[in-house]
Amino acid sequence: MFPVNRPRRLRKNKIIRRMVSETSLSPDDFIYPLFVTFGRNVKKEISSMPGCFQESVDEIVKSAREVKSLNIPAVILFGIPEHKDEKGSGAYDDQGIVQNAVRAIKDALPELYVITDVCMCENTSHGHCGIIENGDVVNDPTVELLAMEAVSHAKAGADMVAPSDMMDGRVEAIRAELDDHGFHDLPIMSYAAKYASGFYGPFREAAESTPQFGDRRSYQMDPSNRREALREVALDIEEGADIVMVKPALSYLDIISDIKDSFDVPVAAYNVSGEYSMIKAADRLGWIDGDRVMMEVLTSIKRAGADLILTYFAKDAATVLNS
């Protein structure tokens, strides 16, 4: 006897598959990371991240135009300064590389939403995310500088700030400092559950932020921990985070799902450099269909519960979705 229930009926062709699809992607879901560096006419491809570049401010504006033309609504900026020091002073310099890039992009494309990464690692000579004392990153002095950095970005015209350092209490300090300077309406997207992951490798080249000693396990989360992520997110929401982020995405889809089920705030996920580079490398070798895997990965992140996806695939995926 043949079955009455035949799920294949709703898979018969692409029209019905699209009609009953439970998860859909849009360029509106994407935030595209950009790496801004010093100089002029600089557009240097990142060897471990094909299709991604370190770009000077004048070139960043061109890339921002391309992003906008693909209907991607937002970018997030990471800066590589010409000079670094132990206190990461370029991070909170009003004439810093990120601040200048924000002004240039907003002047040229006021309708493009500009988010800034708030952290010290790209600006410190030692590559860690804060102030070092006795060989360790000290929390509270670092938080003071992060709050200064966030205000500096806001003054330059950033639409949102995104602290990625994982210092305790930094969201509360940033919120208070922003409010004290009149930026009450500027939202915070917190890297709330950021894991000490091996998937960040290519980003170290892109942002020139490899730690000169040790690692970041004393402040980023242990990959084995699940419940701790909920605590971190709850604390950041209590401190004033408007959006919470999980980083990385693919090995932490369960964390994205847990957070989406537990909290009534938008959830972002960072499809990080190692996830991007593995797919690009396998595609170049002919081992996978890169575009197909790209869309499958991004769909899985959205299906897990992410409202926003930070991804180096944004331009490629938007091109597919816009076609």
Side-chain angles (χ1 to χ4, degrees):
M1 181 177 178
F2 290 104
V4 173
N5 294 309
R6 295 178 182 266
R8 287 183 58 189
R9 293 176 185 134
L10 300 184
R11 303 173 194 152
K12 185 174 179 59
N13 57 51
K14 64 181 180 181
I15 297 173
I16 189 61
R17 288 194 298 270
R18 188 171 70 246
M19 289 171 64
V20 300
S21 175
E22 298 176 25
T23 306
S24 60
L25 284 171
S26 162
D28 284 337
D29 299 326
F30 302 144
I31 299 168
Y32 187 62
L34 290 169
F35 298 94
V36 59
T37 191
F38 55 90
R40 285 192 61 81
N41 302 315
V42 177
K43 190 177 180 72
K44 177 185 175 184
E45 187 168 27
I46 300 159
S47 63
S48 57
M49 299 173 65
C52 297
F53 301 85
Q54 292 179 342
E55 300 174 279
S56 51
V57 171
D58 52 316
E59 293 292 332
I60 275 289
V61 172
K62 297 175 187 177
S63 291
R65 289 188 190 280
E66 180 186 9
V67 169
K68 181 68 173 61
S69 73
L70 291 167
N71 299 316
I72 299 166
V75 296
I76 183 167
L77 295 178
F78 299 88
I80 303 102
E82 186 171 8
H83 303 290
K84 303 187 179 191
D85 58 39
E86 290 189 356
K87 293 187 176 182
S89 57
Y92 42 89
D93 181 351
D94 286 345
Q95 295 302 317
I97 191 69
V98 168
Q99 291 84 344
N100 286 333
V102 170
R103 282 188 283 267
I105 293 172
K106 294 304 291 186
D107 283 347
L109 297 160
E111 67 278 16
L112 184 67
Y113 202 83
V114 177
I115 306 166
T116 58
D117 179 79
V118 175
C119 195
M120 306 292 290
C121 61
E122 297 112 69
N123 294 274
T124 55
S125 54
H126 46 72
H128 276 286
C129 298
I131 301 300
I132 302 293
E133 292 181 7
N134 300 318
D136 193 19
V137 177
V138 289
N139 195 94
D140 295 4
T142 297
V143 166
E144 292 179 13
L145 297 183
L146 293 168
M148 290 170 56
E149 181 181 4
V151 170
S152 180
H153 292 177
K155 289 178 178 177
D159 295 296
M160 179 186 289
V161 293
S164 63
D165 53 282
M166 288 300 285
M167 297 297 116
D168 295 333
R170 89 273 205 216
V171 173
E172 182 176 11
I174 289 170
R175 182 72 274 157
E177 199 70 9
L178 288 172
D179 289 353
D180 285 348
H181 285 81
F183 297 105
H184 306 90
D185 295 331
L186 193 97
I188 298 172
M189 178 170 65
S190 168
Y191 290 63
K194 182 179 180 180
Y195 285 84
S197 171
F199 284 101
Y200 302 148
F203 180 91
R204 305 289 184 241
E205 176 194 355
E208 299 182 9
S209 60
T210 303
Q212 298 303 300
F213 63 90
D215 55 38
R216 297 188 171 116
R217 298 184 192 189
S218 70
Y219 45 101
Q220 295 178 357
M221 286 181 58
D222 186 332
S224 66
N225 289 0
R226 184 173 185 171
R227 294 190 304 273
E228 184 186 18
L230 298 179
R231 183 184 182 206
E232 286 279 11
V233 168
L235 287 169
D236 281 7
I237 293 172
E238 183 180 342
E239 291 177 16
D242 301 283
I243 300 172
V244 293
M245 188 198 301
V246 177
K247 181 181 181 181
L250 285 183
S251 289
Y252 301 89
L253 295 176
D254 57 329
I255 308 302
I256 297 170
S257 180
D258 287 350
I259 292 169
K260 186 64 176 179
D261 289 343
S262 300
F263 300 98
D264 189 21
V265 298
V267 178
Y270 203 139
N271 178 213
V272 299
S273 60
E275 298 165 350
Y276 171 86
S277 296
M278 288 191 302
I279 292 172
K280 285 291 187 179
D283 181 49
R284 284 190 171 190
L285 290 169
W287 293 349
I288 61 171
D289 179 335
D291 280 356
R292 181 176 179 182
V293 172
M294 167 185 71
M295 299 306 289
E296 186 174 341
V297 161
L298 295 173
T299 299
S300 76
I301 298 169
K302 182 78 178 290
R303 189 184 66 238
D307 300 290
L308 302 169
I309 304 172
L310 292 80
T311 178
Y312 306 99
F313 285 121
K315 293 193 297 183
D316 293 341
T319 299
V320 171
L321 292 168
N322 290 330
S323 63

